[in-house]
Amino acid sequence: MKPYLLEEREQGCLLFTINRPEKRNAINFDVMDGLSEAINRTKKPGVKALIITGAGEDAFSSGGDLSIFHQLKTEEEAYGMLSKMSNILYRLLTLPKPTIALINGTAVGGGCELAAACDFRIAKKGQKAGFIQGSLAITTGWGGGTILFEKLLAGNALKILMESRLFSVEELADFGFIDHIYDGDREEICDVFLRKILSLETEVLTAYKNMLIRKWTESGLQQRIEEEVRKCAVLWEKDVHHELVAKFLERKS
């Protein structure tokens, strides 16, 4: 089964689906490559927006695939993986077209970082999401923490990161992380959410997005994300992180 799906839909939308439901749509290197492909295809003139979702109804994404990434032991090994994904998320963040995280199920850890890099987040009623990296003795490492401080009030971002737990999407909407909560067919809801946005010319959408991208460029966002990645890589190497991940994987097996 292919680990991701790409589909061009009506209204000029490109739909990217993480297609690993048996792994709760965990992100591995193949999914990373798929995201890079989706970003490249979104730059085509006929594409007006990129939607990212997960296969099935249980999980948007459970974050990095720990069954694979737990094999990375040293700071250097971790940095290679972290920097690869952080570069992809920075490209997603600064894509000059609207992007939407269609959160169909639980979003955990790196799954929340992926959602944070999108312009809008639409979440299914009753689901949960959270940046739980702290419970594994690391920080966010794909740039998601730095991005969160760009998008939320500082106190709300700190609470979400420091409590390192799952929040209901209703709580996250109060924090400003979730833009819309849906109950029903996710693709229909997404179409309704985007209808007015996609009625505008692509050049207009790009011009507005570029206003935001200029702000991020001038504030040195990319360098700040790099510092986040470096710190996470240092913490990744520590014994306490590997011990906690091993215990987590044991509980899941």
Side-chain angles (χ1 to χ4, degrees), residues 6-69:
L6 267 175
E7 175 190 358
E8 292 193 19
R9 294 170 50 81
E10 295 179 0
Q11 297 181 298
C13 286
L14 183 65
L15 177 64
F16 177 87
T17 304
I18 304 173
N19 191 36
R20 305 184 75 213
E22 76 287 354
K23 291 283 189 178
R24 297 190 62 78
N25 295 320
I27 297 168
N28 61 8
F29 289 113
D30 289 335
V31 174
M32 291 183 189
D33 291 340
L35 282 166
S36 186
E37 179 186 348
I39 292 166
N40 288 337
R41 282 181 58 175
T42 307
K43 295 176 182 177
K44 289 170 53 178
V47 179
K48 299 182 80 171
L50 172 62
I51 303 167
I52 297 173
T53 194
E57 299 298 328
D58 295 327
F60 170 72
S61 174
S62 58
D65 190 338
L66 294 180
S67 66
I68 296 171
F69 297 155

Side-chain angles (χ1 to χ4, degrees), residues 84-172:
K84 177 181 175 71
M85 187 59 174
S86 73
N87 288 333
I88 291 169
L89 290 194
Y90 185 77
R91 290 178 59 215
L92 176 64
L93 183 73
T94 56
L95 187 68
K97 291 181 181 178
T99 56
I100 301 91
L102 184 50
I103 303 173
N104 55 298
T106 306
V108 180
C112 279
E113 297 194 59
L114 174 60
C118 294
D119 296 320
F120 305 105
R121 283 154 295 283
I122 305 173
K124 184 178 179 181
K125 182 179 179 181
Q127 294 301 320
K128 293 186 176 183
F131 293 76
I132 54 84
Q133 290 89 333
S135 65
L136 297 176
I138 56 172
T139 62
T140 49
W142 290 346
T146 303
I147 293 169
L148 199 65
F149 281 112
E150 290 293 315
K151 298 197 171 185
L152 304 188
L153 292 173
N156 290 345
L158 273 175
K159 183 176 179 65
I160 290 171
L161 293 169
M162 287 184 169
E163 290 197 1
S164 192
R165 66 176 176 89
L166 296 181
F167 294 84
S168 70
V169 294
E170 289 77 13
E171 288 178 284
L172 292 172

